[in-house]
Amino acid sequence: MDKVAKRAKFEEAWSRIRVELVDHVASEGMPAEAIEWYGKNLDYNVPGGKLNRGMSVVDTAEILKGAPLDDDEYYKAAILGWGVELLQAFFLVSDDIMDSSITRRGQQCWYRTDGVGMIAINDSFMLEGAIYYLLKKHFRGQACYVDLLELFHDITYATEMGQLIDLITAPEDNVDLNKFSLEKHRLIVIYKTAYYSFYLPVALAMHLSGVPATYTIGEQTVEPYKAALSILLPLGEYFQIQDDFLDFSASPEELGKVGTDIVDNKCSWCINTALAVVTAKQRAVLDANYGRKDAAAEERVKQVFEAIGMKDRYAKYEAKVYGRLNQLIGEIPESDEPGTLKRAIFTSFLEKIYKRKK
């Protein structure tokens, strides 16, 4: 099945899940206007993204099984995948309010649409709550239920920790590059992005597929969730560093949007890499121009990035991390037995993002 067909099938599952969610709100005796509002909230905020996180649950479950999923298996995996997309929507709706953002996915942010405003805060809570309704309805009688609950809760908490570091390190209205560092960037990326974007989809599929906490291959004891985490967190860090670099280096045509990290005072890999190596004169330029809503100031920052060889530094980083990730993947003991990790889970992730341009 090609990528377009896979997405269409995944979106078809959402149509069914959406009906379940709206019917549940209606069954609680909510008035018609509340039911209609909830449906609009779901339609506006959940299905419009790339869906890579959600579809990764299905892809991973299929790799673990070693065969196509039957209809019931597919729907169960798709529910978990859309749970990840609901979590993403919850994060984005609330993050846009915190950042006073204007647009998201090519349309106005939900809180900025007519008549919504700060009701969007409650709407974000309802997007999160939908996850736990779906888990209870479809998985409560299964052995993996508590693991799924704990995983969603733990990853949500970790992501919120990352958001906290980001918010207090790089507020748009208070530029202070002394707060920045590569270590702060690493923590923000791991906690705010890597856990929920990379580890969560894979771990959900592992629990759904009955992968135990430990198993033995030959004389080796494998701890599959720790092994997955050891690969997926640096993979997620690599993905975000790519994003940061492309925001600086790619044209709007290549990127599909205008890069704004510099003018938005983002604690990105590029600025932190520069801060670690710049001369005193270059540092003064960064202090005077970074995070300013001014195209000329942005260009002066980019000139410093070019002067320190940002593109070469990124190329060296990418080559190094690609080699390291392949080494980690190659070290996973592999077996044909069901319920065991497969290297293909991780190589499929890595090959999707290696040298991507947008």
Side-chain angles (χ1 to χ4, degrees), residues 75-108:
Y75 191 56
K76 287 285 201 302
I79 289 166
L80 296 178
W82 281 108
V84 180
E85 295 297 331
L86 282 160
L87 186 67
Q88 161 89 334
F90 159 55
F91 290 148
L92 296 184
V93 170
S94 53
D95 184 65
D96 286 342
I97 297 170
M98 286 181 262
D99 290 348
S100 301
S101 298
I102 306 299
T103 60
R104 168 73 65 183
R105 295 173 175 169
Q107 59 186 1
Q108 276 201 319

Side-chain angles (χ1 to χ4, degrees), residues 7-296:
R7 183 183 174 106
K9 186 175 182 180
F10 191 63
E11 289 176 325
E12 187 179 327
W14 169 248
S15 298
R16 183 175 163 189
I17 292 165
R18 183 198 182 280
V19 170
E20 290 186 27
L21 292 173
V22 173
D23 283 354
H24 171 247
V25 169
S27 75
E28 292 291 318
M30 295 296 103
E33 59 266 35
I35 298 166
E36 182 183 1
W37 185 285
Y38 183 51
K40 287 180 179 177
N41 176 17
L42 293 171
D43 294 340
Y44 199 91
N45 295 305
V46 182
K50 296 176 183 175
L51 307 183
N52 290 335
R53 295 170 180 84
M55 291 171 65
S56 293
V57 180
V58 176
D59 291 344
T60 302
E62 197 163 79
I63 291 169
L64 287 167
K65 183 181 179 183
L69 303 176
D70 64 31
D71 289 346
D72 182 63
E73 291 168 337
Y74 182 90
Y75 191 56
K76 287 285 201 302
I79 289 166
L80 296 178
W82 281 108
V84 180
E85 295 297 331
L86 282 160
L87 186 67
Q88 161 89 334
F90 159 55
F91 290 148
L92 296 184
V93 170
S94 53
D95 184 65
D96 286 342
I97 297 170
M98 286 181 262
D99 290 348
S100 301
S101 298
I102 306 299
T103 60
R104 168 73 65 183
R105 295 173 175 169
Q107 59 186 1
Q108 276 201 319
C109 295
W110 176 242
Y111 81 98
R112 291 180 59 86
T113 60
D114 289 345
V116 177
M118 291 303 104
I119 299 173
I121 297 172
N122 191 66
D123 290 335
S124 75
F125 298 159
M126 291 192 71
L127 294 170
E128 184 193 25
I131 300 166
Y132 299 101
Y133 167 73
L134 291 169
L135 290 179
K136 185 176 181 179
K137 179 178 179 181
H138 292 279
F139 298 98
R140 192 161 187 256
Q142 298 192 17
C144 63
Y145 179 56
V146 172
D147 291 321
L148 297 175
L149 281 176
E150 289 186 347
L151 185 60
F152 268 110
H153 280 304
D154 290 349
I155 298 301
T156 300
Y157 198 23
T159 307
E160 290 160 352
M161 291 181 204
Q163 174 75 338
L164 173 61
I165 305 170
D166 193 15
L167 289 169
I168 63 177
T169 300
E172 281 194 52
D173 58 351
N174 183 18
V175 181
D176 182 0
L177 298 185
N178 291 317
K179 290 184 176 181
F180 287 17
S181 69
L182 282 166
E183 176 58 17
K184 280 249 187 92
H185 176 265
R186 188 189 71 83
L187 284 170
I188 292 168
V189 168
I190 292 295
Y191 280 86
K192 186 176 175 179
T193 300
Y195 271 110
Y196 93 92
S197 297
F198 287 84
Y199 179 66
L200 176 60
V202 172
L204 287 170
M206 289 168 66
H207 285 304
L208 180 65
S209 304
V211 177
T214 61
Y215 55 81
T216 302
I217 294 179
E219 296 182 356
Q220 282 187 283
T221 299
V222 181
E223 296 179 280
Y225 294 90
K226 286 185 179 179
L229 197 65
S230 73
I231 294 168
L232 292 166
L233 291 190
L235 187 66
E237 184 179 10
Y238 167 37
F239 177 83
Q240 186 59 54
I241 288 173
Q242 272 185 327
D243 252 17
D244 292 354
F245 177 71
L246 290 171
D247 188 274
F248 152 66
S249 65
S251 69
E253 292 74 26
E254 291 172 318
L255 197 58
K257 62 180 180 179
V258 177
T260 61
D261 283 0
I262 292 172
V263 298
D264 288 345
N265 189 37
K266 293 297 184 183
C267 183
S268 80
W269 180 82
C270 295
I271 184 63
N272 283 294
T273 296
L275 289 171
V277 299
V278 289
T279 65
K281 185 177 179 180
Q282 289 170 327
R283 172 61 190 256
V285 173
L286 296 179
D287 283 327
N289 293 280
Y290 198 78
R292 310 292 184 239
K293 306 294 187 184
D294 178 333

